[in-house]
Amino acid sequence: MDTSSQPWQMILDGVRSMPASQTALVVLFFAFVILAGNGVFALHYRRVGKPIFRSLINPASFPISDFNLREWLLLAAVFAVSMLLAVLAAHAA
């Protein structure tokens, strides 16, 4: 079996061929999306008085319907910054 056609191998080869600045921006993108996105939801759960960690790992708990304006604006800011990081990573050489 040819291991070079494995999906994980193709991903690793792609990461190895990226410039260091692009790799750093991709890592920053994923870290920001995960941390800031979960932070917005954690702030929401704290506001409504639900347990934060139990609610964050529950896939059935999706509270967007009762977000307030501040939480929507924070979510929009997370989206905007993540798109900026994605564009910078795409143009990094």
Side-chain angles (χ1 to χ4, degrees):
M1 176 184 248
D2 183 19
T3 60
S4 64
S5 63
Q6 296 293 327
W8 59 269
Q9 187 65 39
M10 291 173 21
I11 292 170
L12 286 176
D13 290 343
V15 170
R16 285 186 197 118
S17 67
M18 281 191 230
S21 60
Q22 190 174 27
T23 305
L25 285 167
V26 168
V27 169
L28 186 62
F29 167 80
F30 282 112
F32 179 78
V33 168
I34 291 169
L35 294 175
N38 282 324
V40 171
F41 285 96
L43 287 173
H44 170 74
Y45 289 130
R46 187 174 66 181
R47 179 181 64 85
V48 296
K50 291 184 179 179
I52 294 171
F53 294 110
R54 192 175 327 139
S55 298
L56 283 177
I57 61 173
N58 182 6
S61 175
F62 199 66
I64 283 189
S65 63
D66 57 343
F67 267 21
N68 63 14
L69 179 64
R70 177 178 169 240
E71 291 157 350
W72 278 112
L73 291 174
L74 286 172
L75 198 59
V78 168
F79 177 77
V81 171
S82 64
M83 289 300 103
L84 176 66
L85 288 170
V87 167
L88 289 174
H91 288 297

